[in-house]
């Protein structure tokens, strides 16, 4: 064979490998799920590229995955006839981490194995999980339609070798040379069990040699005949009653490249003007790149079982960018491209339907599983809030899902909904009062709250960056106006009684000379100086004009250099 090259792993890969092997060891079986998941993705990619270039199938159109083991050589082999990789692809995909958020991921690692295992799970270890059980991995691959094959080999310790080889079949073959002590994997029953447990949902057959009886040692004797170990039908096409909770969860890990179980999901076949199946998941944790414009993951679009693309823009609105899963259309053309997707009215209809499903799922959580909803809100609340400004059609529904901290909250967790607030409104109160500030402490100590405290009126404390956008787009809820307590003359309406009015009159009269002096001293710096009977502790406070920017927003814009 041609000359062997030795290359070094990216520093992060070395670090990741070391950590992963330690922290995921107790869950080591997942290496098989990861390698099968990659093989399945490779089949999806070939099917898609094959739409335009059928010659890529090379007279071998039955896509499948094969798993075998060799007791004497102490190896486990996972092979697929998917798209394969060119030499450049091997170098860039296996040996480097091109993921966005890599840096912040490494910064978050604590050295505490339990905590780090969680983080690593979120980050996704994929291919490298092979090194949990193997001390040498040999990957041989030939990209569909190309002549040259390449062999990558590594002991997972900082470098790998690359060489050109011959490979008749298209696709990728991965040989795991097992570590000392991993011999239990050299067992037909054990491997088939792992495949069924983690990879049953894979839509192409995962084949292994068929058992033909038991030997004298009690072990399965295999024949040369192959059988599919999994159900080999796309999970979302099966009926809900045939899918177990675990299967839904494992499928999520495959589509989302996540290690943690999802929080909730919605699975439905939709009929009508557009026929499609959706299986959409809410993750239990926010991904690293939630705020990264370059993020690559989103919802996968299939057309009649053929994977078309993973989309981050068109299938889900920006404020639901955390949603993962599959949409499989029966009506779209197979040659749908990104450009067509942008323009398509059919896609608009599918998207609108899927948004309703997701909002419905969240509503269901919020009313029936409040703890889960709280967990959701913690991870994704800030993002969902963007929807109030972004999605006019669903503004009301989103507003119902919002949660805030208020002056009645015991702790710092946002648990107050607008409906809760309205339910607690005082006699004569007709507005939803809120205050915006940089921190909870600043909000709670604001002099603007004094009169509300005195009257026992609840005020929402809005301290998130996105809240300015929320209050700038949501003017009322359930017929009640949202009113900043820091703006304008603040008409308290029926909350104010005769005594209040009398007190105000007196203060105004008594303070006339002072007010005039202060007005003179401040001159152009203020619009107006007013006396008020509402402050109970503070001598003075700043108020924004009814139609001006709030002081908080002004500070935020200044900080942003605007
Ligand atoms: P992920 O699957 O999340 O992208 P992995 O570490 O599992 O991360 O895989 C890295 C990349 O290596 C894949 O995205 C793919 O491009 C490539 N790859 C891995 N396994 C295969 C395979 N069997 N066939 C083709 N490409 C593969
Ligand atoms: Mg993978």
């Amino acid at each position: 064979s041609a000359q062997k090259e030795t290359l070094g792993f990216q520093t992060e890969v070395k670090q990741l490998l070391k950590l992963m092997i330690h922290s995921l060891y107790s869950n080591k079986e997942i290496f098989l799920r990861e390698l099968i998941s990659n093989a399945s993705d490779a089949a999806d990619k070939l099917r898609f590229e094959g739409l335009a270039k059928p010659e890529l199938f090379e007279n071998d159109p039955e896509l499948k995955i094969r798993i075998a083991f060799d007791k004497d050589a102490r190896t486990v082999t996972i092979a697929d006839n998917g798209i394969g990789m060119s030499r450049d692809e091997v170098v860039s995909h296996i040996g480097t981490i091109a993921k966005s958020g890599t840096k912040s991921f490494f910064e978050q690692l604590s050295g505490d194995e339990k905590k780090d295992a969680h983080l690593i799970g979120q980050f996704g270890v994929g291919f490298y999980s092979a090194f949990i059980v193997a001390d040498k991995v040999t990957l041989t691959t030939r990209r569909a339609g190309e002549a040259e094959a390449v062999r990558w080999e590594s002991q997972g310790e900082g470098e790998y070798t690359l060489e050109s080889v011959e490979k008749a079949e298209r696709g990728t073959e991965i040989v795991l040379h097992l570590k000392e002590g991993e011999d239990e994997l050299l067992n037909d029953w054990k491997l088939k069990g792992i495949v069924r447990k983690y990879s049953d949902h894979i839509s192409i057959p995962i084949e292994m040699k068929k058992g033909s009886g038991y030997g004298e040692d009690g072990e399965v004797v295999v024949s040369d005949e192959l059988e599919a170990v999994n159900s080999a039908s796309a999970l979302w096409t099966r009926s809900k009653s045939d899918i177990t909770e675990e299967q839904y969860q494992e499928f999520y890990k495959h589509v989302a490249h996540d290690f943690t179980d999802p929080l909730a999901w919605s699975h439905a076949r939709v009929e009508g003007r557009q026929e499609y199946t959706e299986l959409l998941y809410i993750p239990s944790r926010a991904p690293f790149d939630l705020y990264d414009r370059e993020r690559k993951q989103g919802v996968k679009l299939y057309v009649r079982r053929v994977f078309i693309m993973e989309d981050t823009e068109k299938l889900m609105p920006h404020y639901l960018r955390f949603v993962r899963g599959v949409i499989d259309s029966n009506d779209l053309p197979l040659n749908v491209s990104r450009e067509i997707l942008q323009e398509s009215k059919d896609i608009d209809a599918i998207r609108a339907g899927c948004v309703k499903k997701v909002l419905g799922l969240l509503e269901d959580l919020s009313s029936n599983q409040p703890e889960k909803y709280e967990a959701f809100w913690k991870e994704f609340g800030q993002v969902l809030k963007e929807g109030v400004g972004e999605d006019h059609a669903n503004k009301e529904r989103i507003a119902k899902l919002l949660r805030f901290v208020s002056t009645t909250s015991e702790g710092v967790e946002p648990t107050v909904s607008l409906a809760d607030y309205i339910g607690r409104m005082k006699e004569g109160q007709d507005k939803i009062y809120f205050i915006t500030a940089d921190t909870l402490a600043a909000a709670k100590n604001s002099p603007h709250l004094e009169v509300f405290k005195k009257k026992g009126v609840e005020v929402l404390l809005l301290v998130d960056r996105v809240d300015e956008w929320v209050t700038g787009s949501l003017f009322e809820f359930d017929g009640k106006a949202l009113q900043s307590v820091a703006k304008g003359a603040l008409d308290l309406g029926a909350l104010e009684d005769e005594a209040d009015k009398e007190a105000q009159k007196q203060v105004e009269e008594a303070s006339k000379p002072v007010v005039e002096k202060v007005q003179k001293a401040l001159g152009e710096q203020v619009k107006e100086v007013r006396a008020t009977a509402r402050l109970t502790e503070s001598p003075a406070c700043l108020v924004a004009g009814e139609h001006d920017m709030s002081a908080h927003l002004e500070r935020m814009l200044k900080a942003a250099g605007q």
Side-chain angles (χ1 to χ4, degrees):
S1 73
Q3 211 183 340
K4 223 187 221 183
E5 249 187 291
T6 301
L7 292 122
F9 281 134
Q10 194 189 10
T11 325
E12 283 85 354
V13 177
K14 279 192 257 179
Q15 225 177 322
L16 181 67
L17 272 169
K18 227 167 113 189
L19 254 162
M20 186 190 61
I21 290 165
H22 285 285
S23 56
L24 294 185
Y25 188 75
S26 57
N27 200 7
K28 60 187 170 185
E29 295 175 345
I30 51 122
F31 80 89
L32 197 55
R33 165 182 91 194
E34 291 304 310
L35 298 181
I36 290 173
S37 176
N38 287 347
S40 164
D41 288 344
D44 270 353
K45 285 179 198 156
L46 174 62
R47 244 198 236 120
F48 177 65
E49 287 192 26
L51 291 174
K53 291 190 219 156
E55 64 276 15
L56 292 182
F57 284 102
E58 303 176 355
N59 297 321
D60 177 16
E62 301 294 328
L63 297 175
K64 56 188 162 251
I65 299 166
R66 285 194 176 148
I67 298 176
F69 63 94
D70 181 331
K71 269 192 118 141
D72 300 323
R74 301 190 59 257
T75 58
V76 172
T77 300
I78 296 99
D80 67 68
N81 60 351
I83 191 75
M85 282 177 273
S86 67
R87 189 189 188 88
D88 288 348
E89 284 169 334
V90 171
V91 172
S92 63
H93 298 325
I94 310 277
T96 39
I97 308 177
K99 253 177 216 167
S100 56
T102 302
K103 197 163 164 265
S104 76
F105 167 74
F106 281 95
E107 281 165 6
Q108 284 187 55
L109 293 175
S110 62
D112 174 334
E113 274 184 22
K114 264 222 173 104
K115 265 194 213 147
D116 289 349
H118 249 301
L119 281 173
I120 286 173
Q122 250 180 302
F123 189 71
V125 291
F127 174 79
Y128 301 112
S129 60
F131 288 102
I132 303 176
V133 296
D135 51 20
K136 185 164 88 175
V137 176
T138 311
L139 174 148
T140 310
T141 185
R142 181 169 71 76
R143 200 178 203 287
E146 290 187 13
E148 191 206 11
V150 61
R151 176 164 297 152
W152 176 102
E153 192 165 82
S154 175
Q155 308 194 353
E157 278 173 349
E159 42 191 40
Y160 61 92
T161 59
L162 271 187
E163 61 187 316
S164 294
V165 292
E166 297 284 321
K167 187 175 187 295
E169 309 82 32
R170 148 200 93 224
T172 304
E173 180 194 82
I174 296 167
V175 181
L176 308 178
H177 305 265
L178 296 184
K179 286 181 183 167
E180 212 59 59
E182 301 299 346
D183 292 40
E184 63 168 354
L185 290 169
L186 301 169
N187 176 301
D188 182 69
W189 179 83
K190 174 81 182 172
L191 284 176
K192 283 180 180 162
I194 300 175
V195 171
R196 288 197 189 100
K197 180 168 169 197
Y198 295 110
S199 307
D200 184 71
H201 60 78
I202 295 291
S203 61
I204 57 173
I206 303 168
E207 295 181 344
M208 286 183 72
K209 283 183 174 172
K210 208 171 174 170
S212 61
Y214 292 92
E216 275 172 21
D217 52 3
E219 285 206 26
V220 178
V221 176
V222 292
S223 65
D224 279 337
E225 210 186 319
L226 292 165
E227 64 174 351
V229 181
N230 61 330
S231 308
S233 68
L235 185 98
W236 64 90
T237 61
R238 304 181 202 166
S239 82
K240 277 166 133 172
S241 54
D242 292 341
I243 309 174
T244 66
E245 187 110 331
E246 285 72 29
Q247 286 171 332
Y248 273 122
Q249 288 171 344
E250 288 307 328
F251 181 70
Y252 164 76
K253 291 174 192 169
H254 167 62
V255 280
H257 299 254
D258 191 359
F259 272 51
T260 23
D261 286 336
L263 192 72
W265 56 84
S266 153
H267 182 195
R269 189 161 305 152
V270 178
E271 280 164 13
R273 199 161 71 76
Q274 283 294 318
E275 256 179 49
Y276 60 93
T277 302
E278 53 90 4
L279 173 50
L280 299 171
Y281 292 90
I282 314 275
S284 53
R285 300 245 194 158
F288 286 93
D289 52 4
L290 192 59
Y291 289 94
D292 187 339
R293 277 171 202 282
E294 304 288 303
R295 89 213 137 73
K296 300 214 169 64
Q297 281 206 288
V299 170
K300 289 187 173 172
L301 176 68
Y302 283 71
V303 173
R304 293 183 287 284
R305 253 63 76 217
V306 179
F307 171 69
I308 305 294
M309 68 183 86
E310 183 152 0
D311 179 78
T312 56
E313 285 166 10
K314 195 60 197 186
L315 296 175
M316 274 292 144
H318 198 58
Y319 74 96
L320 295 179
R321 59 187 177 273
F322 50 83
V323 172
R324 297 287 177 269
V326 168
I327 296 171
D328 187 352
S329 159
N330 264 345
D331 310 311
L332 290 172
L334 275 167
N335 64 357
V336 58
S337 63
R338 258 179 218 290
E339 292 65 41
I340 295 175
L341 210 60
Q342 283 307 326
E343 305 289 302
S344 164
K345 289 269 173 294
D346 296 334
I347 282 288
D348 290 341
I350 292 176
R351 163 169 144 147
C354 288
V355 166
K356 291 205 156 58
K357 290 277 182 218
V358 173
L359 294 177
L361 180 59
L362 293 175
E363 285 159 0
D364 183 52
L365 284 185
S366 73
S367 32
N368 300 319
Q369 292 176 280
E371 272 148 47
K372 272 198 176 175
Y373 191 71
E374 219 173 288
F376 160 78
W377 188 260
K378 226 182 195 150
E379 293 293 313
F380 302 111
Q382 303 301 310
V383 176
L384 189 72
K385 277 179 183 171
E386 297 171 10
V388 174
E390 193 187 327
D391 186 351
H392 291 279
N394 292 300
K395 193 156 134 179
E396 275 290 308
R397 285 182 81 174
I398 300 165
K400 277 192 191 129
L401 290 165
L402 302 180
R403 296 293 180 269
F404 301 100
V405 181
S406 88
T407 46
T408 62
S409 298
E410 304 238 318
V412 297
E413 294 305 328
T415 53
V416 178
S417 71
L418 292 173
D420 295 339
Y421 181 99
I422 289 177
R424 288 195 288 259
M425 276 176 28
K426 284 272 175 285
E427 174 109 16
Q429 182 183 351
D430 60 354
K431 290 196 174 75
I432 298 171
Y433 293 106
F434 68 86
I435 182 165
T436 51
D438 287 330
T439 63
L440 261 188
K444 278 186 182 156
N445 292 316
S446 166
H448 294 293
L449 292 186
E450 288 172 13
V451 62
F452 293 91
K453 257 182 227 161
K454 192 171 105 189
K455 301 217 164 271
V457 170
E458 182 172 2
V459 177
L460 300 175
L461 309 172
L462 309 188
V463 294
D464 295 322
R465 256 167 185 274
V466 62
D467 287 334
E468 286 288 351
W469 203 27
V470 172
T471 57
S473 329
L474 187 71
F475 305 112
E476 58 151 50
F477 179 80
D478 204 9
K480 309 278 187 289
L482 268 79
Q483 171 69 51
S484 164
V485 302
K487 271 192 182 177
L490 190 58
D491 177 12
L492 289 179
L495 284 173
E496 223 155 14
D497 51 29
E498 282 309 313
D500 291 326
K501 284 180 191 150
E502 190 49 41
Q504 176 68 21
K505 229 192 211 154
Q506 281 177 10
V507 169
E508 273 174 25
E509 264 163 36
S511 326
K512 237 183 192 156
V514 185
V515 166
E516 272 167 20
K517 262 191 204 148
V518 175
Q519 179 94 53
K520 225 182 213 160
L522 294 176
E524 291 287 293
Q525 288 173 285
V526 296
K527 226 183 227 169
E528 191 191 353
V529 177
R530 277 199 301 257
T532 180
R534 289 192 190 153
L535 293 173
T536 55
E537 285 158 35
S538 310
C541 72
L542 289 171
V543 178
E546 189 61 59
H547 304 291
D548 293 345
M549 252 188 260
S550 76
H552 177 58
L553 181 59
E554 219 170 306
R555 273 197 301 278
M556 266 171 53
L557 290 177
K558 240 183 218 150
Q562 309 227 354

